[in-house]
Amino acid sequence: MLSFLNSGPARLVTLLLLLQAALLYSSIRPEVIPASPALAEVPKTMGSWQLQDEGVIDPEIRQILQADDLLNRSYVNPAGAGANLFVAAFRSQRTGKAPHSPKNCLPGNGWAPLESGQYPIDVGPAGPIKVNRYVVAHGDQRSLVLYWYQSRDRVVASEYEAKFWVILDAIRLNRTDTALVRVVVPIVDRETERATQTAVDFVKSFYGILQQYLPA
């Protein structure tokens, strides 16, 4: 009996029970809901990128997303290249609200993935981040998609890792806030690398600014 208690499986069971107890305790405490500025206040000029269009999100889509705040904008740079920025912010995930992964949503909207993987971006003083990079097609149209999950100053590409951090933050900080950030750039003349660099340049232009509109 004593030998079993000192075994690996017993330690794992103990760890899981402690984790379950911590989650139960965190769930009955009043959650910390951090304040942050409205996403609508994000600047219309970010670096060399200028607002081109303020996207409208249908009430039906808002109901499906269940985000606490949304941003859907198209920007353009001096060279005429365009990029769409979509942000869905969630102040709490305790009631079952959570970001919808583009990995699942894009195919549902008719966009077939052609390439997928993770991509590093050097965003300056904040340090390099790793994001998801997808090439998707809808008929003859192709687009380059970058997306990630952002909580406080942490950027996570993996959906599973994001869920892990939600649990850990709930236990340690009594918070479950997060945001999904997605960038879409059209691929012109099948020049995927050019679209990738356009998207990366756009991310670099807004990353530090967007941090100010998400809970710290």
Side-chain angles (χ1 to χ4, degrees):
M1 180 67 176
L2 291 177
S3 61
F4 171 75
L5 292 176
N6 290 323
S7 66
R11 291 174 182 171
L12 179 60
V13 170
T14 301
L15 179 61
L16 290 174
L17 289 173
L18 288 173
L19 181 60
Q20 187 176 33
L23 279 172
L24 178 62
Y25 173 67
S26 67
S27 68
I28 61 178
R29 290 183 295 165
E31 185 175 8
V32 175
I33 307 293
S36 60
L39 291 175
E41 297 176 13
V42 169
K44 297 180 180 180
T45 299
M46 298 188 289
S48 62
W49 291 80
Q50 300 281 338
L51 176 67
Q52 183 181 43
D53 180 59
E54 190 83 51
V56 177
I57 302 175
D58 295 334
E60 182 180 349
I61 300 299
R62 288 180 177 272
Q63 182 62 31
I64 293 172
L65 295 174
Q66 294 189 325
D68 294 300
D69 201 1
L70 291 166
L71 181 72
N72 183 27
R73 286 181 177 175
S74 294
Y75 286 79
V76 64
N77 68 11
N84 175 263
L85 172 62
F86 174 84
V87 183
F90 297 80
R91 305 299 181 222
S92 170
Q93 297 183 72
R94 279 194 180 177
T95 58
K97 297 189 300 182
H100 291 246
S101 170
K103 180 172 64 176
N104 301 321
C105 295
L106 288 169
N109 290 324
W111 289 89
L114 302 179
E115 298 178 22
S116 64
Q118 294 187 353
Y119 196 88
I121 301 177
D122 185 356
V123 291
I129 61 173
K130 187 174 290 185
V131 305
N132 294 295
R133 175 188 175 276
Y134 273 69
V135 175
V136 295
H138 189 300
D140 293 333
Q141 301 178 56
R142 291 194 178 190
S143 291
L144 188 286
V145 181
L146 302 179
Y147 76 90
W148 63 89
Y149 301 93
Q150 190 162 337
S151 302
R152 297 169 34 243
D153 292 332
R154 180 176 59 240
V155 167
V156 176
S158 165
E159 280 82 4
Y160 297 106
E161 187 179 347
K163 292 182 185 299
F164 167 79
W165 281 110
V166 167
I167 295 173
L168 201 60
D169 284 349
I171 295 172
R172 296 184 309 149
L173 306 173
N174 199 26
R175 289 172 52 174
T176 59
D177 52 286
T178 192
L180 167 69
V181 183
R182 187 195 69 194
V183 169
V184 179
V185 172
I187 297 175
V188 180
D189 297 330
R190 303 295 175 93
E191 294 189 19
T192 303
E193 185 56 32
R194 175 181 288 185
T196 300
Q197 293 309 310
T198 297
V200 167
D201 178 70
F202 183 47
V203 171
K204 289 181 177 181
S205 75
F206 75 70
Y207 182 81
I209 296 172
L210 183 61
Q211 280 187 307
Q212 303 170 37
Y213 295 86
L214 298 176

